[in-house]
Amino acid sequence: MTRGTRGCSWLLALVVLSGVGCKTTSRMDVTFEQDALGAAPATFPAPNPPNDVLASYSSTQTTSVVVADPSGGQRLRITPQPSFVSAPDFRKRAILVTSDAFTAGASIRGHLRIRMEGTGQLFIGLRAVNGPNMSDFLGGFSAGNYQASTSRIELLNPFTENGMEGNFPLFTSAGVLAQVVSGQAVDIQWSIDQASRFLAASVSGGPSVSTNFAATSNGIAVTPIERLGLWIWLGNPSSNTTAFVDNLYVEEYK
């Protein structure tokens, strides 16, 4: 998705956004276009502002590097290390991006592009960051290639960090967003309505699915959301698992 398409129409497929205005302010804009090829993504993504921050967790478990996109531009490639493939029970972090600060109580929406090759799963979680504290995850998304030919994209209900990263997954699906061909790039559009505490999402302009999050989470008041954390994990990998992510974009709107 290019910057030119980020107008007031890019999320109108979501029911929760119908009829909204289109005065927007970017709070996260990670396209990897100015990162060095073959290297981990930059900690302070360009452009700046927005003042978003990226942490990469490349280790003996996962590797995240910026690569060229055959269709043009650049994207992030996430792969499992051999030690993760041989012991795939836990889901391992790949990157964590924290947005710039929002105006208090603002409506929030975002977008990311993902692509899965081989078998395995990609998980994305959205988390409120209020001062030094973080809520549990308000919800998220999973992309699972359970067979070599198909991938299922789902909206996740709220979950905890331990529920995602522990040996036994403790999260549930709020509904299937799409069934896609393995290796197909898809765009996930999502929005958060703070007043009603709803997270809604759709894939590539398809039907929307929503979930509701609690007012208090992990011992803190979730709203008003000061910043938003976007966490990405790899799960259940095999030797052929490759995930690509791109265009991590978050904005507030009126």
Side-chain angles (χ1 to χ4, degrees):
M1 178 175 289
T2 62
R3 281 180 215 285
T5 64
R6 291 174 180 155
C8 53
S9 63
W10 71 288
L11 280 178
L12 291 182
L14 293 180
V15 173
V16 73
L17 295 184
S18 296
V20 301
C22 53
K23 181 179 179 181
T24 63
T25 303
S26 175
R27 298 305 186 191
M28 181 188 296
D29 193 359
V30 184
T31 64
F32 308 105
E33 291 301 302
Q34 298 186 47
D35 288 296
L37 289 171
T43 302
F44 302 102
N48 191 312
N51 296 308
D52 42 10
V53 180
L54 187 151
S56 176
Y57 288 88
S58 290
S59 63
T60 59
Q61 301 294 328
T62 65
T63 299
S64 300
V65 298
V66 177
V67 297
D69 186 338
S71 63
Q74 299 184 174
R75 56 186 179 176
L76 188 72
R77 182 185 67 204
I78 303 169
T79 53
Q81 290 287 348
S83 60
F84 189 15
V85 173
S86 63
D89 290 343
F90 294 82
R91 289 141 297 281
K92 300 297 182 181
R93 296 180 200 178
I95 65 168
L96 187 170
V97 188
T98 304
S99 75
D100 201 348
F102 297 105
T103 302
S107 293
I108 301 167
R109 63 189 180 191
H111 163 276
L112 70 157
R113 177 168 293 164
I114 61 174
R115 176 188 174 108
M116 285 288 295
E117 296 179 355
T119 54
Q121 291 176 291
L122 187 73
F123 298 95
I124 300 103
L126 302 176
R127 193 173 203 178
V129 181
N130 293 343
N133 302 308
M134 289 186 289
S135 71
D136 292 323
F137 290 91
L138 310 181
F141 317 100
S142 68
N145 279 10
Y146 304 102
Q147 300 175 359
S149 60
T150 59
S151 182
R152 185 166 71 236
I153 316 298
E154 299 181 69
L155 176 68
L156 299 180
N157 288 314
F159 57 91
T160 66
E161 184 176 325
N162 185 60
M164 176 61 70
E165 298 185 350
N167 193 24
F168 299 100
L170 299 174
F171 48 85
T172 59
S173 172
V176 175
L177 294 167
Q179 299 271 9
V180 299
V181 176
S182 178
Q184 177 184 350
V186 297
D187 296 303
I188 300 176
Q189 298 96 11
W190 56 266
S191 68
I192 293 175
D193 183 82
Q194 296 202 60
S196 61
R197 303 193 308 278
F198 266 88
L199 167 65
S202 68
V203 165
S204 301
S208 66
V209 179
S210 63
T211 187
N212 181 250
F213 54 88
T216 302
S217 173
N218 197 29
I220 69 167
V222 173
T223 59
I225 297 172
E226 295 179 14
R227 298 174 185 267
L228 193 73
L230 189 153
W231 296 43
I232 296 180
W233 301 266
L234 201 62
N236 299 316
S238 58
S239 58
N240 67 353
T241 301
T242 305
F244 298 94
V245 299
D246 195 8
N247 292 345
L248 311 180
Y249 188 76
V250 177
E251 66 186 11
E252 64 176 70
Y253 66 94
K254 296 182 179 179

